[in-house]
Amino acid sequence: MAQLRNKRVLILERHFTAGGFTQTFRRKGFSWDPGLHYVGQMETGSEVRNLFDLVTNQQVQWQKMPELFEKFIYPEFTFDLYDDPKRFQADLIKQFPKESRAIRQYFKDIPKAATALFLDAAKHNSTFLFKLIGTVAKLWHGTSLSLTTQAYLDQHFQDPQLKALLASQWGDYGLPPAESPFALHATIVSHYLNGGYYPLGGSGTIAKSVQQIVEAKGGQVLVSREVTEILLDDGRAVGVKVRNLRAKEETIEDYYAPVVGSSAGAYNTYLKFIPDTCPIPFRKSLQQFLDAHPPATNVSVYIGF
């Protein structure tokens, strides 16, 4: 918004450090990166790299990880993952020769399923042309978004160790194989087929570069600001009510803007920040979905040796 639309942007962050998961912190000489651990598709010229270069104004440099960038360790076996999809496939076949045909099919299905997820998102959020392309492309990829990762693995593979190995990256997208769409699994697998990258200086460089861009355009980043309500005028968002967590006494601040964007999640945005008096057509269905699939809470412990 700041670079392409010349907007003054105000970022309100509840934490005392800006950046969310794109930050690092130090304690007693140890440095930790709480969110970003590696990013794929960061080779020069890729779409993902171009996007990051735009967002950070090319202020962040990316270091490629070693060829052996990931290792899966199970009680009965280990598997080394290199940054070459052909070697990945060959190593799988070498370790599970009886499943060679299914493994080759898996590597054909991965790009199709990843494309299916991308086109579905484009179909819902883009122009008529993208909707048409998404409909026609479905004949090519043939992937149903209701197909789970576990269902795909059970349909194509027999060896339980191979199934476990192929599903090992589910921690990257947060849902176990029985609950995750295979298309989402395929997107993550595709993302790391050519290895991983890490930003020089840690992921905090991303947040710092964004803050510099925002401030250079007359915007501001305020930390320790907890949004408690989205302010409405005739059903339209016009600002936010904020609690200043740094103030010694409870201090409420109001900020107004022609555009309000929330990255606090659907639950907080629609069921906590918007008053009950405002009619939202999907309020009940969203609540029912959250009752059936409550948000997960994660606790991370950082230990230095």
Side-chain angles (χ1 to χ4, degrees):
M1 288 191 293
Q3 294 186 83
L4 303 183
R5 295 292 181 266
N6 202 34
K7 300 291 186 182
R8 286 194 306 137
V9 178
L10 172 65
I11 298 177
L12 298 168
E13 168 62 59
R14 186 181 187 275
H15 192 36
F16 55 77
T17 301
F21 277 140
T22 59
Q23 60 156 298
T24 54
F25 69 93
R26 296 183 64 84
R27 296 288 187 278
K28 298 182 179 180
F30 294 99
S31 179
W32 284 285
D33 194 328
L36 185 150
H37 47 293
Y38 61 160
V39 180
Q41 297 176 301
M42 275 297 172
E43 58 272 15
T44 302
S46 72
E47 291 184 9
V48 177
R49 177 62 178 271
N50 290 339
L51 178 60
F52 266 86
D53 284 348
L54 170 65
V55 171
T56 63
N57 200 20
Q58 298 184 328
Q59 297 180 77
V60 178
Q61 302 301 313
W62 295 86
Q63 175 68 47
K64 196 171 193 304
M65 296 169 65
E67 291 182 1
L68 174 55
F69 75 101
E70 200 152 45
K71 182 188 288 284
F72 300 116
I73 302 174
Y74 283 87
E76 299 86 8
F77 70 99
T78 63
F79 185 84
D80 294 338
L81 181 56
Y82 289 84
D83 59 3
D84 178 2
K86 292 182 178 180
R87 179 167 183 176
F88 184 12
Q89 178 175 308
D91 288 346
L92 285 173
I93 293 174
K94 182 179 179 180
Q95 194 152 338
F96 303 94
K98 294 181 180 180
E99 302 268 23
S100 59
R101 184 176 180 180
I103 291 171
R104 291 190 179 94
Q105 185 61 46
Y106 174 78
F107 279 85
K108 293 179 181 178
D109 292 339
I110 285 296
K112 291 183 178 181
T115 301
L117 185 63
F118 168 77
L119 290 176
D120 183 75
K123 186 173 68 175
H124 288 291
N125 297 286
S126 298
T127 61
F128 171 77
L129 178 61
F130 264 101
K131 297 180 191 297
L132 180 62
I133 293 174
T135 302
V136 174
K138 193 171 184 179
L139 301 174
W140 167 71
H141 62 70
T143 303
S144 170
L145 296 186
S146 63
L147 175 68
T148 67
T149 305
Q150 178 178 327
Y152 177 90
L153 296 175
D154 287 343
Q155 289 172 16
H156 292 80
F157 301 102
Q158 302 298 320
D159 194 312
Q161 289 188 352
L162 177 56
K163 293 180 188 179
L165 176 58
L166 294 177
S168 293
Q169 289 171 312
W170 77 261
D172 282 336
Y173 49 83
L175 283 176
E179 299 178 42
S180 64
F182 176 65
L184 176 60
H185 169 83
T187 299
I188 294 298
V189 172
S190 298
H191 183 67
Y192 291 114
L193 278 179
N194 293 299
Y197 292 74
Y198 189 78
L200 289 176
S203 62
T205 58
I206 299 174
K208 291 177 182 176
S209 66
V210 170
Q211 182 168 347
Q212 290 173 6
I213 294 168
V214 167
E215 292 175 346
K217 292 289 186 177
Q220 200 171 4
V221 177
L222 298 179
V223 297
S224 299
R225 297 304 202 281
E226 180 183 38
V227 174
T228 59
E229 182 182 341
I230 295 177
L231 302 174
L232 303 172
D233 183 9
D234 196 23
R236 183 177 180 274
V238 295
V240 289
K241 188 178 291 292
V242 176
R243 180 182 293 113
N244 187 339
L245 302 179
R246 280 187 171 177
K248 293 181 180 180
E249 298 180 359
E250 182 167 354
T251 303
I252 302 299
E253 304 165 348
D254 292 345
Y255 296 95
Y256 293 90
V259 177
V260 177
S262 171
S263 61
Y267 170 74
N268 288 323
T269 302
Y270 293 107
L271 301 185
K272 288 182 65 178
F273 295 162
I274 296 180
D276 295 338
T277 54
C278 178
I280 300 176
F282 53 85
R283 188 191 294 272
K284 184 177 180 181
S285 61
L286 176 58
Q287 185 63 62
Q288 290 173 341
F289 176 83
L290 289 163
D291 291 341
H293 307 280
T297 297
N298 301 286
V299 177
S300 297
V301 178
Y302 300 92
I303 305 174
F305 294 95

